[in-house]
Amino acid sequence: MTIGHFILIKLNNGHLGVRMSQALLKARDLDEKAERRRTILRAANALLDIRRQTLPPASAIAAEAGLAKGTLYLYFQTKEEIYLALLGEWFGLLLDVLRPAVESDAPTVENLVRRYTRFCAKNPRFMFLASMSASILEQNISEDMAHAFKKSLVDNVGAMTQTLAAKTSADETQLRKGFIHMFSLSTGLWQHCHPPQVVERAYTRGDAQLIEMDFEQDLYTALLGLFGSMLS
């Protein structure tokens, strides 16, 4: 007899027992796998040190997560896949921040740009990973991982630009290009404002001084110019 997700069975001693159905066992297994994946990503995020400009190794992530190193590779094929998945989580948080500005009855470029630049400035781990996404993270991942990551971005950004185009006179294709430029501008400016320590020390010499910039304010000004003509 089946009661919900439980099955009544007759034990050897003649008493009745209860066994979970296969559907419930599968659901529990999926929940456990999802939670373990989140544990791995939380550990990777906790270990990021943007000052060192390096990615902690898989062994350190496993130790931080309380897992065997081999367990990590049941969920991700490479260390870079772990950090790309973490970047995907950060993008999800960013989109949540941008969505109210996009879905507003009267979207403004100032609100959209301010939300974006403030998120970037307040979340250096996001910017650190974003700045190395093409040069490092995406160089050692599976094709399936690359497809899933890019499709998620394309779908989410596409939904936003479609909404913006419907609420304004902006061209949807130009808005999509604008979001790509926005990301490129922010990662480039981040790298300028946060050089490796050896480069930072070189800049302290009198004949090689860095042109100082305010990351949040200069990014805000640049993006206002980029999106101003589109949403005006």
Side-chain angles (χ1 to χ4, degrees), residues 85-106:
L86 179 58
L87 177 58
E89 297 288 313
W90 276 111
F91 268 120
L93 295 175
L94 170 60
L95 293 170
D96 288 342
V97 168
L98 297 182
R99 201 163 279 116
V102 172
E103 296 177 353
S104 168
D105 291 336

Side-chain angles (χ1 to χ4, degrees), residues 5-172:
H5 289 294
F6 297 93
I7 302 171
L8 289 177
I9 58 174
K10 189 173 182 179
L11 303 176
N12 291 334
N13 59 10
H15 294 155
L16 291 177
V18 178
R19 185 180 68 194
M20 285 186 286
S21 68
Q22 288 297 112
L24 183 57
L25 287 171
K26 184 176 181 180
R28 284 186 60 182
D29 184 51
L30 290 174
D31 288 343
E32 290 174 359
K33 287 182 177 179
E35 179 55 34
R36 184 161 291 178
R37 187 177 186 276
R38 287 192 290 269
T39 297
I40 294 170
L41 295 183
R42 284 195 296 266
N45 190 61
L47 291 172
L48 280 180
D49 183 352
I50 64 171
R51 292 292 299 172
R52 296 184 62 184
Q53 301 271 332
T54 58
L55 294 174
S59 57
I61 299 173
E64 178 72 18
L67 301 171
K69 182 179 177 180
T71 303
L72 267 62
Y73 295 112
L74 297 176
Y75 298 85
F76 303 96
Q77 293 186 23
T78 65
K79 175 185 71 175
E80 288 76 15
E81 286 197 359
I82 296 175
Y83 287 106
L84 190 65
L86 179 58
L87 177 58
E89 297 288 313
W90 276 111
F91 268 120
L93 295 175
L94 170 60
L95 293 170
D96 288 342
V97 168
L98 297 182
R99 201 163 279 116
V102 172
E103 296 177 353
S104 168
D105 291 336
T108 66
V109 63
E110 291 83 5
N111 190 18
L112 175 66
V113 170
R114 177 58 69 195
R115 284 173 174 269
Y116 179 82
T117 55
R118 188 166 294 162
F119 181 91
C120 292
K122 289 183 177 296
N123 294 286
R125 285 184 172 90
F126 166 68
M127 289 307 306
F128 175 60
L129 291 173
S131 67
M132 63 171 62
S133 58
S135 60
I136 296 177
L137 301 185
E138 295 174 6
Q139 297 298 319
N140 190 28
I141 60 175
S142 68
E143 184 177 333
D144 287 342
M145 178 73 176
H147 177 265
F149 179 76
K150 295 298 185 181
K151 186 177 187 305
S152 176
L153 286 180
V154 168
D155 290 348
N156 281 290
V157 171
M160 283 197 170
T161 54
Q162 187 175 36
T163 300
L164 270 178
K167 291 176 176 287
T168 66
S169 59
D171 177 76
E172 185 178 346

